[in-house]
Amino acid sequence: MDVPMPRPESRSARAEQDLQACVALMRTGSRTFFAASRLLPARVRASSIALYAFCRVADDMVDSGDMAVDDAMRVLLSRLDRIYAGDPIDCVEDRALAVVVQRHELPRPLLEALLDGFAWDAQARRYDTLEQVHDYGARVAGSVGAMMCWIMGVRSPQALARACELGVAMQLTNIARDVGEDARNGRLYLPRQWMAQAGLDADVWLRDPVGGPGLQTVVGRLLDEADRLYGQAAAGIAQLPRDCRSAILAARLIYAEIGQQLRRDGLDPCARRAVVPASRKLVLLAAASLQSSWVGRSSAAVPPLAAIAYLVDHCHTIEGAAFSSGISTRPLNQRMAWMLEMFERVEVRRLEERNATPAGEAPTGQRFSH
């Protein structure tokens, strides 16, 4: 016999509690992602918040050191098994991700790629070449770009490739910005071959990470590669739904500005961490809103970056076949779809309440973070 569904008011309350908890995780995580996500339509923002929350918790689990990396991965893969079976464990982020999986038939290989990237972090992998750095970026950021594109309802290989490349570009910017902090934690994501070419012994430098002409050269080269990928990814924004373009363009502009700020700071991420001021972010958010209405669509088919090709192939294979997890035809699917609608309604109400707040007064929990 089918299990009775909870009363509408209790379902709504739980959905609101789950969403608020996911928003709290996002606000204390990526400020750029949070700022840009506020431009997404409610139908997409609810899913992106839920996705971010699970990813954030998974990253913390793998990176915390509380359990061995292999053990943490086994736990997370088991949680994915239950999420894709429609029976998530009773915690906010898993319940929320199960909603996203059910609603959008999200390809599991994208989440598995992201988890692999988290494991690579915890294992302190060595990156000798730019291509190996691309491989890392494809997992920890390209996968997220593809998932966001998929959630927006865009499934073409070209659009997914550009979304992955935008994620990799952002990750290269993150690497350049965080060189000093990462080095002090014993981690290095700069291509070691580039460091050697600049006269730096990577292992010696890690023991005393300081700036200098050699480091400036390497960081500058990495930012140039990020800019190349930002340019290549730009064509994909025009393929997104109109109401999603401004958010993605805002993220692109803000992350690219981090690189420009790093250049203005003298390409010395060991001395200071480049930060885009809140006032500048607001300008870029406004610029993204204006530019999103006239971004051009390219008719050229550009081969994907080698590191992200396998992600695009996975998506293409899944799109061409039935969603094979066995969950989409269960009665639970209707319940999950209803739950996501509740998420979306909660988010719409939050936006309406924020817009109704008197000028000069910030709604509780919605003050701009920078």
Side-chain angles (χ1 to χ4, degrees), residues 135-147:
D135 288 339
Y136 167 70
R139 285 159 177 78
V140 296
S143 60
V144 176
M147 285 189 279

Side-chain angles (χ1 to χ4, degrees), residues 41-341:
R43 63 183 174 79
V44 174
R45 188 169 191 257
S47 295
S48 69
I49 290 171
L51 176 62
Y52 182 90
F54 179 85
C55 296
R56 173 78 187 279
V57 169
D59 189 17
D60 289 345
M61 177 182 290
V62 175
D63 202 42
S64 66
D66 292 340
M67 65 175 72
V69 175
D70 289 345
D71 292 337
M73 289 294 290
R74 276 193 292 270
V75 170
L76 288 169
L77 290 173
S78 175
R79 286 169 66 171
L80 277 187
D81 287 341
R82 293 191 58 173
I83 286 168
Y84 275 82
D87 181 32
I89 66 173
D90 190 22
C91 65
V92 169
E93 59 273 9
D94 287 46
R95 290 196 305 266
L97 182 59
V99 173
V100 175
V101 166
Q102 288 278 13
R103 181 66 173 267
H104 302 286
E105 299 186 346
L106 189 67
R108 176 168 174 158
L110 297 178
L111 280 163
E112 291 177 339
L114 182 62
L115 295 183
D116 283 344
F118 295 159
W120 286 20
D121 265 336
Q123 294 163 348
R125 282 208 175 198
R126 178 187 177 107
Y127 303 99
D128 291 320
T129 66
L130 175 63
E131 289 72 24
Q132 290 173 345
V133 177
H134 282 163
D135 288 339
Y136 167 70
R139 285 159 177 78
V140 296
S143 60
V144 176
M147 285 189 279
M148 289 298 298
C149 188
W150 191 276
I151 286 170
M152 291 174 191
V154 181
R155 312 287 171 84
S156 78
Q158 283 293 309
L160 288 165
R162 303 294 83 81
C164 286
E165 288 159 357
L166 179 57
V168 174
M170 291 177 173
Q171 188 60 36
L172 296 184
T173 300
N174 277 339
I175 289 171
R177 177 192 61 190
D178 296 338
V179 165
E181 182 180 343
D182 287 335
R184 288 186 285 273
N185 289 320
R187 293 181 176 180
L188 179 65
Y189 299 94
L190 298 175
R192 287 170 176 257
Q193 285 184 358
W194 286 10
M195 296 187 75
Q197 291 166 6
L200 297 173
D201 182 307
D203 293 319
V204 172
W205 180 84
L206 268 173
R207 291 195 289 270
D208 182 23
V210 295
L215 186 67
Q216 289 174 328
T217 298
V218 176
V219 172
R221 287 182 70 180
L222 196 65
L223 291 177
D224 288 344
E225 174 63 7
D227 287 344
R228 184 185 74 82
L229 291 174
Y230 283 129
Q232 186 162 309
I237 295 176
Q239 301 181 49
L240 301 177
R242 287 186 178 275
D243 58 357
C244 296
R245 293 175 191 171
S246 59
I248 304 307
L249 184 56
R252 175 184 177 274
L253 292 176
I254 293 173
Y255 266 88
E257 183 67 15
I258 292 172
Q260 294 304 317
Q261 185 62 48
L262 188 49
R263 290 184 175 102
R264 287 191 287 268
D265 290 342
L267 294 173
D268 187 2
C270 293
R272 68 172 73 179
R273 188 174 189 267
V275 176
V276 178
S279 57
R280 180 60 179 160
K281 283 185 179 179
L282 290 174
V283 170
L284 293 172
L285 288 169
S289 183
L290 291 173
Q291 293 177 27
S292 64
S293 61
W294 48 265
V295 288
R297 183 188 294 266
S298 173
S299 58
V302 179
L305 183 72
I308 60 98
Y310 84 104
L311 294 173
V312 178
D313 288 343
H314 275 311
C315 292
H316 183 63
T317 300
I318 290 171
E319 175 66 2
F323 191 57
S324 58
S325 67
I327 59 178
S328 60
T329 59
R330 296 183 180 182
L332 181 61
N333 183 48
Q334 297 175 359
R335 303 181 189 182
M336 288 295 196
W338 187 92
M339 184 177 173
L340 185 57
E341 289 171 5

